[in-house]
């Protein structure tokens, strides 16, 4: 019989190690290991005690779609896949102070007003504090039941009696399971508490929202281990100095992943932003070199966003490559393609790239807009302000068509843009997407784009 030896668990990836070390061998995270008691009785379940026979069903059995409740906050409902699914478990992660408690208190109030019995359990603030916040948000009279408690046994006993439709646990790191012998916030505690709560959700048909703090240094057990246990993982992102907040679905068993909801942090809580493109572009002033508007798709929705680049000479032999809101590796690739295929070197130049408004873009469709911003900054030539750009760049320098062209163009047209620079549909496609009021300039490769747009090459 194998003896359970693993005693240290990584908060980032969940890997087990026999001894402590400063760095996790599995994922490379620093200072993320913490001690964990091994599970007793690792002798296998087919041992002495026989299991009971379970009933198997057919795949063909027809099932009604899960009942959903809408909060009336459209940005939240859409990210959830069209409302809150009964008996689902949802993790809302984000940096401390980003606004998770505010968002969930507002959501709790809206769901309660929509007729769902809601319990809000705070392990971080006293009930009076939560009540005060609710009053400041103008939600003082919402029928939400409150508790300030961290003992999970008591919480579950209460929920068992109350039978709410939704329970918010703020936060999972503060919950304490008395059968697990380690401090609240440790990986074993977080994992045990999340397991108890998700099981409760399935058993009682209550939806459970778990709030989880994500810390960079791994001091608190990250909710990464919890991600596998829940149906839906939402991340609440944004910069603290900035008023925009983005709720992003990174996993959703009941809807599309990658869907985003946009909010604005105001003095009276989070306000929904129903037209994010207008907001992301609102800070744009006069046409300046290095600024390009990218017509992107976030989830099911087109979003226009400004991409800004700054290129400056540097005496350093290793010039800086600094990126916010876009992938650093992808930037390196585009710089390499510009150099190798178009003969435009960026050696001896610092490059800064920024996606305005705090949005993080992961679409390769932004390649061409990034290249345009870089060239515009390098050549000190502004791109016409009525133009949007999108297209994927391949290593050969060819431009690849991207999905949902029509949606992107329609959104651009709606916001007053009249021209778009797009990948050529060429011989392969030739479908010719046309949107009234938009003039398209098509390019089959980067060289042709550079030559025509910047007259360089
Ligand atoms: P909070 O929801 O407590 O963050 P989290 O639960 O993610 O740690 O929100 C923290 C910040 O939000 C706080 O610094 C103040 C700001 N805030 C506002 O700007 N307006 C408001 O109406 C509220 C309630 C908070
Ligand atoms: Mg909080």
């Amino acid at each position: 019989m194998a003896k359970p030896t693993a005693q240290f668990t990584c908060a980032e990836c969940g890997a087990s190690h026999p001894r402590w070390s400063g760095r996790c061998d599995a994922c490379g995270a620093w200072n993320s290991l913490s001690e964990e008691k091994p599970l007793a009785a690792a002798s296998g379940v087919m041992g002495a005690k026989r299991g009971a026979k379970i009933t198997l069903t057919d795949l063909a059995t027809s099932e009604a779609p899960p009942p959903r409740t809408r909060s009336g906050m459209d940005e939240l409902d859409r990210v959830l896949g069209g409302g809150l699914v009964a008996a689902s478990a949802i993790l809302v992660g984000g940096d401390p102070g980003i606004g998770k408690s505010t968002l969930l208190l507002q959501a709790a109030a809206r769901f309660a007003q929509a007729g769902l019995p809601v319990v809000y359990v705070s392990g971080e603030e006293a009930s009076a504090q939560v009540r005060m916040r609710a009053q400041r948000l103008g939600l003082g009279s919402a029928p939400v039941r409150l508790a300030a408690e961290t003992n999970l046994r008591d919480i579950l006993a209460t929920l068992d009696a109350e039978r709410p439709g939704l329970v918010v646990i703020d936060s999972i790191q503060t919950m304490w399971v008395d059968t697990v012998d380690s401090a609240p916030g440790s990986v074993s505690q977080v994992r045990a508490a999340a397991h108890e709560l998700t099981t409760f959700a399935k058993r009682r048909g209550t939806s459970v929202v778990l709030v989880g703090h994500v810390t960079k240094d791994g001091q608190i057990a990250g909710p990464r281990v919890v991600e596998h246990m829940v149906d839906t993982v939402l991340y609440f992102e944004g910069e603290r100095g900035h008023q925009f907040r983005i709720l992003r679905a990174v996993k959703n068993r009941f809807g599309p992943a990658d869907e985003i909801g946009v909010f604005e942090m105001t003095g009276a809580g989070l306000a929904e932003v129903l037209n994010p493109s207008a907001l992301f572009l609102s800070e744009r002033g006069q046409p300046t070199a290095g600024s390009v508007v990218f017509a992107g798709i976030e989830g099911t929705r087109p979003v226009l966003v400004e991409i800004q680049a700054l290129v400056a000479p540097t005496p350093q032999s290793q010039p800086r490559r600094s990126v916010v809101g876009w992938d650093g590796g992808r930037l390196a690739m585009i710089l390499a393609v510009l150099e190798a295929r178009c003969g435009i070197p960026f050696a001896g130049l610092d490059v800064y790239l920024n996606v305005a408004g705090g949005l993080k873009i992961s679409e390769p469709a932004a390649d061409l807009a990034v290249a345009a911003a870089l060239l515009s900054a390098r050549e000190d030539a502004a791109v016409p302000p009525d133009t949007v750009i999108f297209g994927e760049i391949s290593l050969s320098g060819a431009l690849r068509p991207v999905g949902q062209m029509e949606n992107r163009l329609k959104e651009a047209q709606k916001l007053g843009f009249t021209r778009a620079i797009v990948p050529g549909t060429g011989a392969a496609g030739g479908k010719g997407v046309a949107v009234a009021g938009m003039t398209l300039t098509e390019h089959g490769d980067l060289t042709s784009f550079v030559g025509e747009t910047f007259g360089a090459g």
Side-chain angles (χ1 to χ4, degrees):
M1 181 169 56
K3 243 176 104 187
T5 49
Q7 274 159 2
F8 293 88
T9 305
C10 172
E12 291 295 322
C13 68
S16 297
H17 301 276
R19 63 188 68 83
W20 191 85
S21 92
R23 186 163 182 260
C24 172
D25 292 337
C27 70
W30 286 96
N31 207 13
S32 63
L33 299 197
S34 59
E35 188 166 7
E36 185 167 320
K37 284 262 155 62
L39 285 176
S43 58
V45 290
M46 288 303 281
K49 224 170 105 193
R50 287 289 290 272
K53 189 174 172 294
I54 50 177
T55 319
L56 304 176
T57 57
D58 285 335
L59 199 54
T61 313
S62 71
E63 201 84 52
R68 291 182 187 259
T69 311
R70 300 185 75 93
S71 65
M73 283 166 94
D74 286 343
E75 293 297 294
L76 174 66
D77 291 340
R78 200 187 47 255
V79 173
L80 287 172
L84 179 73
V85 173
S88 61
I90 298 161
L91 172 68
V92 179
D95 293 331
I98 202 72
K100 299 181 296 298
S101 301
T102 309
L103 175 72
L104 287 165
L105 189 58
Q106 287 183 253
R110 297 295 288 266
F111 278 118
Q113 283 158 351
L116 200 67
V118 180
V119 172
Y120 186 100
V121 182
S122 178
E124 303 193 336
E125 293 164 293
S127 297
Q129 262 175 300
V130 180
R131 224 174 280 129
M132 251 161 59
R133 184 195 299 237
Q135 259 147 29
R136 197 145 65 80
L137 297 173
L139 302 167
S141 58
V144 176
R145 311 295 308 276
L146 278 186
E149 184 54 61
T150 57
N151 185 327
L152 200 65
R153 188 185 291 275
D154 296 345
I155 292 171
L156 287 174
T158 312
L159 294 176
D160 243 340
E162 290 275 326
R163 297 287 188 95
L166 168 66
V167 53
V168 177
I169 304 288
D170 187 5
S171 65
I172 188 69
Q173 273 99 358
T174 55
M175 292 299 125
W176 181 63
V177 182
D178 54 16
T179 50
V180 175
D181 186 16
S182 56
S186 65
V187 182
S188 356
Q189 280 286 355
V190 169
R191 188 185 294 171
H195 178 74
E196 295 277 343
L197 285 159
T198 48
T199 314
F200 175 83
K202 303 298 159 199
R203 199 178 66 226
R204 284 289 186 226
T206 295
S207 300
V208 173
V209 174
L210 309 176
V211 175
H213 295 297
V214 188
T215 57
K216 299 254 150 52
D217 53 53
Q219 283 300 322
I220 306 176
R224 286 282 147 77
V225 288
V226 184
E227 290 187 2
H228 309 292
M229 297 183 197
V230 296
D231 300 307
T232 303
V233 178
L234 308 180
Y235 268 85
F236 205 38
E237 310 167 336
E239 280 152 51
R240 223 160 325 160
H242 243 285
Q243 76 270 36
F244 310 138
R245 297 285 182 272
I246 290 155
L247 186 66
R248 183 187 294 277
V250 293
K251 160 181 171 180
N252 195 352
R253 288 188 184 142
F254 304 113
D258 270 337
E259 191 69 75
I260 64 164
V262 184
F263 296 88
E264 191 177 353
M265 184 59 100
T266 69
L270 290 156
E272 292 178 71
V273 174
L274 297 175
N275 190 344
S277 299
L279 183 87
F280 289 137
L281 296 180
S282 64
E283 288 174 2
R284 228 161 45 109
Q286 292 298 310
T288 41
S291 156
V292 163
V293 177
F294 165 56
I297 298 284
E298 291 289 336
T300 55
R301 187 164 58 160
V303 172
L304 300 194
V305 59
E306 182 189 2
I307 294 181
Q308 305 162 338
L310 178 67
V311 173
T314 173
Q316 306 288 332
S317 59
Q318 282 273 348
R320 283 190 72 130
R321 302 289 183 247
S322 167
V323 195
V324 178
W326 168 253
D327 180 45
R330 198 92 195 163
L331 171 66
M333 186 205 103
I334 290 170
L335 291 173
V337 173
L338 281 171
E339 176 147 11
R341 308 294 174 196
C342 309
I344 303 171
F346 280 84
L349 296 169
D350 281 343
V351 172
Y352 301 87
L353 190 80
N354 178 38
V355 176
L359 190 67
K360 287 196 184 73
I361 301 182
S362 54
E363 260 194 301
D367 289 353
L368 189 57
V370 168
L374 293 171
L375 287 167
S376 162
R378 188 181 185 281
E379 308 295 323
D380 197 20
V383 171
D386 56 354
T387 308
V388 296
I389 301 183
F390 58 85
E392 184 178 342
I393 299 175
S394 73
L395 287 180
S396 67
L399 298 186
R400 292 204 195 113
V402 300
Q404 305 205 37
M405 236 173 108
E406 197 170 338
N407 275 342
R408 296 174 201 263
L409 293 173
K410 276 187 181 153
E411 176 80 357
Q413 195 268 334
K414 221 165 57 187
L415 280 134
F417 290 85
T418 55
R419 282 189 282 177
I421 300 177
V422 303
T425 37
K431 277 174 295 197
V433 178
V435 167
M438 291 296 290
T439 311
L440 303 193
T441 310
E442 300 190 354
H443 291 287
D445 59 48
L446 199 55
T447 316
S448 127
F449 164 74
V450 172
E452 193 171 316
T453 315
F454 296 100

